[in-house]
Amino acid sequence: MVMNIQLALLLFAIAGNSLLGLFTFYKNPKSWTNRLFSLFTLFLNSYLIFNHLSLNQSSDEETLFWIRAVMSNAVILGLLFYFLAKTFPQKEFILPRWQLILSLVATTILFFLTQTDLIFQGYENETNNPIPGKAIGLFALYTLIFLSGGFIELALKLKNSTTIEKIQTKLFILGTIFMFVLILTTNFLFVVVFKATALVGLLPLYTLAFVGFISYAIIKHRFLDIRFIIVRSIAYTLLTLFIALGYVSVLFNFAFFIGRESPSISTLQQFIVPTILAVFFAISFQPLRRLFEKLTDRLFYKDHYDSNTLLWNLSSTMASTLDISKLSSSILGQLRDSIKINYAVIVLIRKKTIIWVGSSGNTKGRVFKGKDILDIIHKSHTSSRKLEQIIIYEELSEGRTKDVMREHGATIVLPLIVHSDLIGGLLLGEKSSGEIYSSEDVDLLKIVAPEVAVAVRNAMSYDEIKRFNITLEQEVKNATTRLQNANKRLKELDVLKDEFVSIASHELRTPMTAIKSYLWMALNKSPQKLGNPLKKYLNISYQSTERLIHLVNDMLTVSRIERNKIEIKKQPFDIIEILKLIFDELKITAEEKKIKLLLKYNPGEMYQLHGDKEKLREVFQNLVGNSLKFTPENGRIVIKVKKERATIAISVSDTGSGIREEDQSKLFKKFSKIEYAYANHSSQHGTGLGLYISKQIVSLHNGDITVQSEVDKGSTFTVRLPLIQDKGGESIKHV
Amino acid sequence: MSDKTAKKIMVVEDEQYLRELYVQILQQEGYVVDIAEDGEQALAKLTQNEYDLILLDVILPKMDGLQILEKLSKMGKKNFNNTVLLTNLGQDLVVAKALDYGVRGYMVKSDFTPEELIKEVKGYLENGIVRSAL
């Protein structure tokens, strides 16, 4: 009965150790800690088996054999313990070369020694004890060195490590001490002091506890989810059970049905069928494993999420919007829903200030804008473990950072980094279940954080551009409004100016009309004959009034031209018509000044154009009038009309004083000083507006006016106007 | 000149000196001249009497020339063939409006000597030459 219990305990421990060993190995096969640990569990199991066998042999020889096997095994365990302690919890196996060689050589020597009489030379059946050999001290020394070496390593690690590593080491030591204390208690104290051996058989369980502690310490970088191990263990147990049952039942059935009918094919039974089955199970192992994992996951992890789906959804979200608020609430919402955390916050920083905070979930009114938050984010960026830029609450040693995180209910802080620039942080609250973040969660967050950083940065840039655009739009709008107002004001001013010009001219012209009219009356209708000086004075007065009226009229015309309010009433006519009128009108004045006035054109030709007779007449009156003013006695003025393809060129040439070349271009400007000078040159009056008005009128007829002049030789003003092309006999009839 | 059939001319002019001048020169030519010093007076006389020619100023006290035309038009006067604007205004718009009522023409006062004015008046009375001065 005792024997059966012992066996059951042994098998249980072995199964547990194997499971934990394998699991730890598969969790991270590349890590030397995991490798060494798995190896350790393997030898621990064999140790347990050999030990069990050594206790249950009938002959002394066999007992001695198994005891020696136990000793050899113990040697290897000692070495592995030291290596494990040395490596734990790192991935790399680091041991000085001399140490490695020395320990391997020592182990090899001792391994062989245990098989000789030097360690145990026999077995004493009466006392149930093996008889020690001469070199048993060596074995003790070896064990002492490696065990204490391992402990020293662990103690140093405990002292030097921080946070998670410290906790891991603690667990390792705790497990080891736990095991030794138990062994010491039940297998030594009880045996020696109380002579009770009933509890000796519990040894396998102690090893299981030891293995449990260490595997827990190794696997869980984060504090764990023991559930995960249990769930996986169940999955594996089910799997093993399934395979075993399947295997056995197939074999059994085969033997039962086929084997009975044809005993001759026993070879087939013995070799081929198991082989086929083995191949079948080997092939179906992976799919079956996945199936069992899925089934157990579904059973135990109701709130489990598929990280691939989450990543996919996050990626689509990040690709679908550039709106910072939408983006952040969507990302945070998805993280929150999947990992089941009470809140998630994105904090964006620029230089030393927090510029934007977006949150999802219940932050319980906490504000994430303070300097402490800024510091935490910076800290997460410059975290001591350079590859792992993350702060996890549970892994922090007590201090300022931990306080701040506690205060904000934050469990995880991840920096948001774009091209090695820290742009902000991702802060996550506690899981609503109260559990801690699994390593799966943390891995996922580490993948997500850089993507979130890029997406958020892009959204921020977009936001800035958008804001800039709005500002710009507003600016443009303001500027437009200002312009509109200015324009409105200008229009108002323009109307006012029109009114003013109109009223002013009216008010000016009314008294001038009276002066002009009464001067005329005095000069022409006076009952008394006027004496010479008086007549002269009145004449001057009259002419000056005329000049003034002329000026007002010209200004009115200019005002009309500039307001585009001048009316051009175009009609077809022959330019000779008005030139003749002007010629007749001014001929008398010319004769008085002894100036020869000539009008030259081809009488057989028509000079038809489309224009405002009255206004064009004014133009030529002005030009010929000017020439008359500046041409001295015995001079000559020629009005010449000729066709130049599609235009009529009317030139007025005189033998007057001429105009300097540099002044010629200024001639056609308003109140041109040249024209003043030109006007003042003579006793004749001029307004300084005549040529300007003429040019405008000619322009309105799609023509132009030019001047050629030489000082003291004379000037030629040429007006070119578009000609109406002859259409059959129509124009001839007109003559 | 007094032997010609006396034509009746209305001068609507608020400016005293000009009004006196126009009356003087027109009477010398043998015309019967009636006067109005403001818009209301003009409207009253124009609705009561008939004239061969009306020389109508635009800027007038109480009622301006255009308003007079408008009132007359509303009263049923359709033919403004006997009306000539005599103004010193520079606004083409006013003249254009007046021409829309069908007035015969317009004269810018300052552009005419008394002699030229008489010539114009004669022209209007005899032939109806419309001369538009700039």
Side-chain angles (χ1 to χ4, degrees):
Chain A
M1 185 61 195
V2 174
M3 164 79 190
N4 281 344
I5 291 170
Q6 275 189 356
L7 189 64
L9 282 175
L10 175 71
L11 288 177
F12 178 70
I14 287 173
N17 286 344
S18 308
L19 216 65
L20 287 169
L22 277 174
F23 180 74
T24 309
F25 179 72
Y26 281 120
K27 196 74 188 167
N28 194 358
K30 282 178 187 164
S31 162
W32 271 100
T33 298
N34 297 40
R35 287 175 185 178
L36 286 169
F37 178 73
S38 308
L39 211 62
F40 187 82
T41 55
L42 196 70
F43 280 96
L44 198 62
N45 279 342
S46 59
Y47 175 87
L48 289 174
I49 293 165
F50 297 158
N51 190 50
H52 179 79
L53 289 173
S54 75
L55 293 171
N56 297 285
Q57 294 304 323
S58 45
S59 75
D60 289 356
E61 286 77 34
E62 277 172 301
T63 305
L64 185 65
F65 172 78
W66 289 116
I67 284 173
R68 282 179 176 167
V70 167
M71 295 309 279
S72 310
N73 208 90
V75 170
I76 294 170
L77 277 179
L79 178 79
L80 286 174
F81 177 78
Y82 177 70
F83 280 2
L84 187 60
K86 185 91 184 165
T87 311
F88 182 86
Q90 305 302 325
K91 282 181 177 175
E92 287 82 26
F93 178 66
I94 305 161
L95 198 70
R97 213 180 162 78
W98 63 268
Q99 250 188 58
L100 183 68
I101 293 169
L102 200 70
S103 49
L104 282 176
V105 167
T107 305
T108 313
I109 293 169
L110 217 68
F111 182 83
F112 286 110
L113 280 180
T114 52
Q115 296 297 321
T116 64
D117 291 344
L118 291 167
I119 303 297
F120 282 119
Q121 47 184 319
Y123 182 75
E124 201 177 305
N125 211 356
E126 290 155 28
T127 53
N128 264 348
N129 279 327
I131 305 154
K134 286 172 187 162
I136 187 77
L138 214 59
F139 176 81
L141 187 69
Y142 174 88
T143 310
L144 188 72
I145 288 171
F146 278 89
L147 282 184
S148 55
F151 267 112
I152 290 166
E153 282 295 331
L154 286 173
L156 284 174
K157 272 204 175 103
L158 189 65
K159 196 184 162 207
N160 298 329
S161 64
T162 52
T163 62
I164 189 82
E165 209 175 293
K166 200 179 192 101
I167 298 164
Q168 282 174 305
T169 314
K170 242 184 226 169
L171 278 167
F172 196 126
I173 295 171
L174 213 66
T176 316
I177 292 172
F178 186 63
M179 180 175 74
F180 279 111
V181 167
L182 282 174
I183 291 174
L184 214 65
T185 315
T186 59
N187 293 31
F188 182 75
L189 276 178
F190 276 41
V191 175
V192 176
V193 181
F194 304 107
K195 305 283 179 203
T197 54
L199 296 173
V200 172
L202 290 174
L203 180 75
L205 281 187
Y206 306 157
T207 64
L208 183 61
F210 171 72
V211 167
F213 264 104
I214 300 176
S215 62
Y216 179 82
I218 294 171
I219 299 164
K220 286 329 278 182
H221 286 288
R222 316 268 87 73
F223 279 97
L224 312 195
D225 231 349
I226 279 181
R227 194 164 51 167
F228 187 70
I229 295 173
I230 297 169
V231 170
R232 282 286 178 275
S233 304
I234 291 171
Y236 274 98
T237 312
L238 284 173
L239 179 66
T240 318
L241 210 65
F242 181 81
I243 292 175
L245 280 176
Y247 193 85
V248 169
S249 68
V250 170
L251 274 184
F252 177 76
N253 285 327
F254 193 85
F256 190 76
F257 292 108
I258 301 172
R260 202 169 46 172
E261 282 164 24
S262 50
S264 59
I265 51 163
S266 60
T267 321
L268 186 86
Q269 226 174 301
Q270 275 174 2
F271 297 103
I272 299 178
V273 172
T275 310
I276 292 171
L277 276 175
V279 169
F280 171 76
F281 281 115
I283 292 169
S284 58
F285 180 78
Q286 283 297 337
L288 279 172
R289 192 187 67 139
R290 243 172 275 143
L291 180 75
F292 279 108
E293 279 182 10
K294 222 181 208 173
L295 280 172
T296 47
D297 277 358
R298 199 174 293 169
L299 208 63
F300 290 92
Y301 284 101
K302 286 215 173 93
D303 57 348
H304 190 66
Y305 62 91
D306 183 359
S307 51
N308 282 334
T309 314
L310 176 60
L311 281 173
W312 168 255
N313 288 341
L314 282 173
S315 297
S316 348
T317 304
M318 289 185 247
S320 66
T321 180
L322 270 174
D323 184 298
I324 182 74
S325 304
K326 272 189 206 161
L327 184 77
S328 127
S329 69
S330 180
I331 290 172
L332 297 176
Q334 283 180 41
L335 282 177
R336 219 163 55 79
D337 291 346
S338 296
I339 311 180
K340 306 251 178 333
I341 43 182
N342 49 23
Y343 78 79
V345 173
I346 286 179
V347 177
L348 295 182
I349 60 173
R350 180 169 296 153
K351 280 164 195 166
K352 296 276 173 197
T353 46
I354 290 175
I355 53 166
W356 193 86
V357 177
S359 67
S360 170
N362 184 11
T363 56
K364 290 179 184 163
R366 293 180 184 109
V367 183
F368 296 86
K369 283 189 171 170
K371 196 179 172 301
D372 45 359
I373 292 292
L374 195 70
D375 289 343
I376 276 199
I377 291 168
H378 275 287
K379 189 164 175 114
S380 71
H381 181 40
T382 53
S383 170
S384 59
R385 270 185 285 172
K386 281 193 178 149
L387 288 172
E388 287 204 71
Q389 296 195 315
I390 184 169
I391 297 180
I392 301 169
Y393 178 76
E394 286 84 3
E395 292 183 11
L396 286 173
S397 37
E398 286 300 324
R400 173 95 187 102
T401 309
K402 196 157 188 167
D403 291 343
V404 172
M405 284 182 81
R406 190 179 297 129
E407 204 177 292
H408 286 89
T411 304
I412 284 190
V413 179
L414 280 154
L416 296 175
I417 301 160
V418 178
H419 300 310
S420 71
D421 285 340
L422 181 67
I423 65 154
L426 181 63
L427 279 80
L428 303 174
E430 290 159 3
K431 279 196 170 189
S432 13
S433 61
E435 282 176 33
I436 49 153
Y437 283 72
S438 68
S439 50
E440 201 183 0
D441 298 330
V442 174
D443 289 343
L444 177 93
L445 289 171
K446 280 187 204 157
I447 295 169
V448 167
E451 289 181 32
V452 171
V454 170
V456 163
R457 213 270 312 259
N458 288 347
M460 261 334 246
S461 310
Y462 175 74
D463 202 51
E464 270 162 33
I465 290 169
K466 213 167 65 180
R467 230 174 286 199
F468 176 71
N469 274 346
I470 291 169
T471 317
L472 199 66
E473 219 168 85
Q474 193 55 47
E475 285 294 317
V476 170
K477 221 183 234 172
N478 290 347
T480 311
T481 312
R482 280 198 296 274
L483 275 177
Q484 277 170 343
N485 288 341
N487 200 24
K488 203 174 146 198
R489 179 85 190 117
L490 278 176
K491 274 183 184 160
E492 284 167 8
L493 282 173
D494 198 46
V495 170
L496 281 176
K497 193 190 87 178
D498 284 1
E499 270 172 25
F500 176 77
V501 167
S502 178
I503 301 293
S505 65
H506 178 265
E507 295 305 313
L508 277 171
R509 283 206 281 200
T510 301
M512 285 190 308
T513 310
I515 298 168
K516 172 182 166 174
S517 301
Y518 284 103
L519 282 170
W520 186 88
M521 292 296 277
L523 279 165
N524 296 286
K525 301 283 174 180
S526 173
Q528 290 93 22
K529 194 162 162 42
L530 296 172
N532 212 11
L534 184 60
K535 194 174 179 181
K536 189 187 163 195
Y537 301 155
L538 286 174
N539 246 322
I540 292 169
S541 300
Y542 179 78
Q543 274 168 20
S544 297
T545 313
E546 275 279 80
R547 186 174 162 186
L548 205 55
I549 290 171
H550 217 79
L551 182 64
V552 172
N553 288 351
D554 277 357
M555 280 168 72
L556 272 176
T557 308
V558 168
S559 158
R560 275 186 211 128
I561 287 169
E562 287 178 354
R563 281 184 286 137
N564 286 325
K565 279 192 180 160
I566 190 155
E567 218 182 328
I568 299 288
K569 290 173 213 143
K570 284 188 181 172
Q571 54 175 328
F573 69 97
D574 197 317
I575 193 74
I576 303 301
E577 238 181 84
I578 58 167
L579 291 177
K580 268 186 178 163
L581 275 174
I582 293 165
F583 180 78
D584 291 341
E585 215 175 283
L586 297 173
K587 204 179 171 183
I588 305 146
T589 325
E591 273 168 7
E592 278 171 9
K593 283 189 79 178
K594 291 176 188 155
I595 292 168
K596 205 178 221 174
L597 182 63
L598 296 167
L599 175 60
K600 285 187 180 175
Y601 64 98
N602 183 353
E605 244 181 316
M606 299 284 297
Y607 301 95
Q608 284 274 75
L609 52 81
H610 212 83
D612 189 314
K613 248 189 199 178
E614 199 54 49
K615 302 231 159 52
L616 285 175
R617 181 184 142 128
E618 208 177 304
V619 170
F620 292 109
Q621 226 162 6
N622 183 37
L623 290 179
V624 180
N626 280 342
S627 288
L628 272 171
K629 282 178 215 165
F630 306 112
T631 304
E633 277 190 13
N634 302 316
R636 183 181 145 97
I637 297 170
V638 183
I639 306 167
K640 202 158 98 186
V641 187
K642 67 170 182 185
K643 283 186 185 175
E644 289 176 351
R645 281 185 217 160
T647 56
I648 308 172
I650 306 110
S651 59
V652 180
S653 311
D654 61 49
T655 53
S657 48
I659 308 141
R660 284 187 300 168
E661 207 178 329
E662 62 263 39
D663 293 336
Q664 286 173 14
S665 60
K666 298 177 194 161
L667 264 181
F668 299 101
K669 292 188 175 147
K670 245 189 295 179
F671 295 113
S672 118
K673 281 184 180 164
I674 313 309
E675 211 197 353
Y676 266 140
Y678 188 61
N680 293 337
H681 216 262
S682 110
S683 55
Q684 300 292 327
H685 58 257
T687 61
L689 289 168
L691 283 173
Y692 171 77
I693 292 170
S694 296
K695 187 177 167 70
Q696 301 307 317
I697 290 172
V698 171
S699 291
L700 287 168
H701 285 84
N702 301 319
D704 69 352
I705 181 164
T706 52
V707 63
Q708 279 177 309
S709 184
E710 214 177 307
V711 177
D712 293 334
K713 293 252 170 96
S715 312
T716 301
F717 286 83
T718 307
V719 174
R720 286 185 178 79
L721 292 165
L723 178 74
I724 298 182
Q725 300 296 331
D726 284 341
K727 285 180 199 163
E730 200 190 330
S731 41
I732 297 164
K733 241 187 260 166
H734 191 76
V735 180
Chain B
M1 287 197 188
S2 53
D3 56 330
K4 72 172 69 159
T5 323
K7 299 258 182 185
K8 206 172 171 189
I9 298 176
M10 160 59 93
V11 175
V12 184
E13 173 62 68
D14 61 323
E15 188 71 27
Q16 190 197 343
Y17 299 139
L18 288 182
R19 193 172 61 237
E20 283 172 6
L21 176 76
Y22 295 150
V23 170
Q24 186 190 337
I25 59 173
L26 287 169
Q27 278 176 346
Q28 275 176 4
E29 288 299 315
Y31 298 115
V32 176
V33 184
D34 200 354
I35 53 158
E37 295 173 18
D38 59 53
E40 280 175 6
Q41 211 178 50
L43 186 65
K45 289 196 174 177
L46 287 173
T47 45
Q48 280 164 17
N49 313 312
E50 283 197 2
Y51 301 95
D52 294 300
L53 187 68
I54 304 157
L55 299 176
L56 181 63
D57 197 0
V58 176
I59 306 285
L60 290 167
K62 293 177 188 172
M63 188 189 296
D64 71 26
L66 282 182
Q67 283 172 312
I68 293 172
L69 290 175
E70 194 190 330
K71 288 251 161 93
L72 287 172
S73 177
K74 276 185 184 161
M75 284 172 187
K77 185 170 162 81
K78 293 210 174 76
N79 190 358
F80 289 97
N81 201 33
N82 62 342
T83 310
V84 173
L85 290 188
L86 187 61
T87 178
N88 263 332
L89 262 189
Q91 267 175 316
D92 288 355
L93 206 65
V94 174
V95 175
K97 258 191 197 165
L99 289 174
D100 279 348
Y101 282 105
V103 301
R104 193 99 165 264
Y106 76 97
M107 288 185 269
V108 175
K109 287 183 244 179
S110 62
D111 287 356
F112 294 90
T113 60
E115 192 177 35
E116 286 165 340
L117 185 86
I118 295 296
K119 213 166 123 190
E120 285 290 306
V121 167
K122 278 183 183 165
Y124 279 122
L125 285 171
E126 284 158 25
N127 315 310
I129 302 161
V130 180
R131 190 190 162 189
S132 56
L134 193 77

